Amino acid sequence: MTATIIDGKQLAQKLRGDWKLRADRLNAAGIAPGLAVILVGEDPASKVYVRNKIKACREAGIRSEEHVLAADTKLEAVIALIERLNADARIHGILVQLPLPAHLPQAAVIERIAPDKDVDGLHVSNLGSLLAGHARFVPCTPAGIMAMLKTTGIDLRGKEAVVVGRSNIVGKPVALLLLQAGATVTLCHSQTRDLAHHTRRADILVCAVGKLHMIGGDMVKSGAVVIDVGMNRNAEGKLAGDVDYGAALQRAGWITPVPGGVGPMTVAMLLGNAVLSAERHAAEQGIKL
Ligand code: NDP
């Protein structure tokens, strides 16, 4: 069996076209959707991610602001900037690029973003609303994963879903979303005994660890849907996932490539959340779109 490739780049492009239509309607109604991106420090990968997000905003008709702060910026200064952006009516979404430098506690920073502008969906209030089943903003990578699963046409009800990795950004929220879609979910992590035992019975396998090729082909159930979130560098310095793609391609029913899978979807879903936030703002003002 050779798996069908779930092309994240193509799906992201389609979704970005949809968001652009909605952003155009907002702009025509006098509401320019606005996203503020805060980058603290010089992490090269973070700089690339921020650049990509800003470019994607421009293409989708979303106004973006980039706030670059020095690596040694104090917590008080980061919070002051967030509070200024919280109060700015032209800003509908605020994103703090992670990871932050070690001296800045991530939770203390994220908790200062107004929940109705937290387009990454990482504020405890937004994670709580996700847990309760009425998410205000679904975190971008998990939202992208669910959109990719939808394209397979597979009914998730009753399926065995195994998520490897339990971060607040990917693993836990995607496990919740799969649960809400009716799957029976197993969440694995670094303390899990016999990981292969779990992955081999997964109809849906989501890997979000950050370890090159840790999921071998023999760990994949025949015909499974394999979603590879991991972003690693291989020996040639090229981007590669957590899954041994070549081997898994021969066993899975569907598979996402790295690059060109989950990554582009994450950016697309961020734009979607920014547009959604601006639409809510318009509705609050009684503006019809
Ligand atoms: P974290 O480092 O926050 O979490 C990694 C998770 O993997 C932890 O829960 C950890 O377990 C688990 N883990 C570590 N080793 C093992 C192991 N041997 N077996 C099973 N589980 C293990 O990472 P993130 O969730 O932030 O990111 C994961 C990967 O996804 C990274 O490569 C990251 O770059 C990528 N990523 C990609 C995105 C995209 O858009 N494509 C977006 C976000 C992330 P424990 O909790 O016990 O420590």
Side-chain angles (χ1 to χ4, degrees), residues 141 164-167 169-170 188-191 195 208-211 214 229-232 242 262-263 266:
T141 303
V164 190
R166 57 173 164 179
S167 69
I169 297 176
V170 190
C188 299
H189 46 79
S190 67
Q191 313 299 311
L195 181 64
V209 173
K211 289 195 173 149
M214 66 169 289
V229 186
M231 289 209 290
N232 313 290
D242 289 349
V262 177
T266 297

Side-chain angles (χ1 to χ4, degrees), residues 36 38 69 74-88 91-96 98 100 104-127 136:
I38 301 174
L69 304 177
K74 292 206 163 50
L75 178 62
E76 296 71 30
V78 179
I79 289 173
L81 171 60
I82 290 174
E83 283 179 350
R84 183 161 68 70
L85 295 168
N86 283 343
D88 185 341
I91 294 296
H92 306 101
I94 302 170
L95 177 152
V96 176
L98 301 174
L100 288 166
L104 293 173
Q106 190 171 302
V109 171
I110 301 295
E111 294 327 305
R112 301 310 282 260
I113 299 174
D116 63 348
K117 295 191 178 187
D118 168 41
V119 283
D120 253 348
L122 299 178
H123 190 287
V124 278
S125 148
N126 286 325
L127 289 173
R136 190 190 276 122

Side-chain angles (χ1 to χ4, degrees), residues 19-287:
W19 311 145
K20 177 154 190 346
L21 290 177
R22 284 164 59 181
D24 287 349
R25 270 202 291 275
L26 281 158
N27 280 304
I31 304 248
L35 177 73
V37 182
I38 301 174
L39 172 66
V40 189
E42 296 284 326
D43 178 57
S46 293
K47 277 174 145 175
V48 173
Y49 296 145
V50 168
R51 201 188 313 138
N52 288 344
K53 288 170 187 174
I54 300 280
K55 181 168 170 273
C57 278
R58 199 166 39 241
E59 288 167 6
I62 297 168
R63 193 182 68 81
S64 62
E65 287 179 7
E66 190 179 349
H67 298 268
V68 182
L69 304 177
D72 60 355
T73 304
K74 292 206 163 50
L75 178 62
E76 296 71 30
V78 179
I79 289 173
L81 171 60
I82 290 174
E83 283 179 350
R84 183 161 68 70
L85 295 168
N86 283 343
D88 185 341
R90 296 167 311 151
I91 294 296
H92 306 101
I94 302 170
L95 177 152
V96 176
Q97 184 64 43
L98 301 174
L100 288 166
H103 71 284
L104 293 173
Q106 190 171 302
V109 171
I110 301 295
E111 294 327 305
R112 301 310 282 260
I113 299 174
D116 63 348
K117 295 191 178 187
D118 168 41
V119 283
D120 253 348
L122 299 178
H123 190 287
V124 278
S125 148
N126 286 325
L127 289 173
S129 67
L130 176 70
L131 178 73
H134 48 78
R136 190 190 276 122
F137 294 113
V138 178
C140 303
T141 303
I145 292 169
M146 296 309 287
M148 293 175 106
L149 286 173
K150 201 169 166 199
T151 65
T152 67
I154 290 174
D155 183 354
L156 296 175
R157 286 175 298 178
K159 294 288 184 297
E160 290 291 335
V162 175
V163 178
V164 190
R166 57 173 164 179
S167 69
N168 288 342
I169 297 176
V170 190
K172 281 187 219 162
V174 83
L176 278 172
L177 291 168
L178 287 162
L179 190 65
Q180 283 161 15
T184 302
V185 181
T186 304
L187 189 47
C188 299
H189 46 79
S190 67
Q191 313 299 311
T192 298
R193 274 183 289 147
D194 197 356
L195 181 64
H197 162 76
H198 296 285
T199 62
R200 275 190 200 120
R201 50 174 195 78
D203 302 310
I204 313 291
L205 177 60
V206 180
C207 305
V209 173
K211 289 195 173 149
L212 183 69
H213 295 174
M214 66 169 289
I215 305 289
D218 61 339
M219 294 170 76
V220 174
K221 180 179 173 180
S222 179
V225 184
V226 179
I227 308 282
D228 192 353
V229 186
M231 289 209 290
N232 313 290
R233 294 278 164 195
N234 64 17
E236 292 91 54
K238 295 217 170 87
L239 211 54
D242 289 349
V243 177
D244 181 347
Y245 184 76
L249 192 65
Q250 302 309 317
R251 283 188 66 81
W254 286 266
I255 192 164
T256 64
V258 179
V262 177
M265 289 299 291
T266 297
V267 179
M269 299 327 256
L270 169 69
L271 304 180
N273 278 348
V275 168
L276 179 66
S277 184
E279 286 172 345
R280 286 177 181 154
H281 177 82
E284 274 162 20
Q285 295 193 327
I287 296 171

